[in-house]
Amino acid sequence: MPVTLPKAMLIDLDDTIISYDVGMDLDACWLHALRAHMPAVQDDEAREMVAAIKKRAEWFWSDPERHRIGRQDLVSARQGIISAALTKWDVRDPALARRMAATYGEARDSQVRVFPDALEAIGLFRSKGVRLALITNGSAETQRAKIRRFNLAGLFDHILIEGEVGVGKPEAGIYQLALGKLGVSADEAWMIGDNFEWEIAAPQRLGIKGVWLDHRGAGVPADATVQPFLVIRSWSELMSRVRTD
Ligand SMILES: [Mg+2]
């Protein structure tokens, strides 16, 4: 059964419209940063260091409160992660860790791509009169840079960046702010994105319908307490599932 388009869509940015983790070679970015600033380190040791940094990063970003603070200043967060990981090698140089963090960020940013079918789908929905808001967590500086780079501002009626509005997903206030700006009620809106907590569980508690972008086809988490309104693997799939005539 085709699904009827809603009055409004709230849409996530990272790994929804542009890549951030999906399809990214993060090992290569870390290795690049290590080689740039610690050129004497041998390959085997560099790979061990990368593994340690990634393990520390996984720990760091797994906590919602650390995540909330860290994403406002990625260079500082990554500097801390690198410093903690490299104490095992007796590397205790905050300035070096900071330079590595900056180089890692640049390498990672250079890999970011827009998903072509995202732009096609959003343009289609817009042409059908759907009101659109971009809702993204992170600092104003980093998120605005992505919006400018991929020329996304013109696609949306409103853009809400955590670092600009002072509230982020999964807090209720950010979804309510978006609904208010678009002039719709919760049941008239979809939230579309890849993060199950931020774009499905939290907005659905308010009555917004969650459309989960499950890139890898992992399926709804076994411990999930809610079911998404829709699960899609791509924007192309979403276009095929909605009634647009
Ligand atoms: Mg995302």
Side-chain angles (χ1 to χ4, degrees), residues 12-16 169 193-195 198-199:
D12 169 50
L13 178 61
D14 291 324
D15 284 325
T16 295
K169 299 174 280 188
D194 66 297
N195 184 303
W198 294 358
E199 280 114 29

Side-chain angles (χ1 to χ4, degrees), residues 5-11 129-133 157 178-179 182-192 208-209:
L5 279 172
K7 270 194 182 173
M9 293 178 180
L10 319 181
I11 304 176
V130 179
R131 309 259 298 143
L132 299 168
D157 298 295
L179 294 174
L182 294 174
V184 297
S185 57
D187 62 350
E188 293 173 323
W190 292 359
M191 174 81 234
I192 305 175
I208 298 167
K209 295 181 175 74

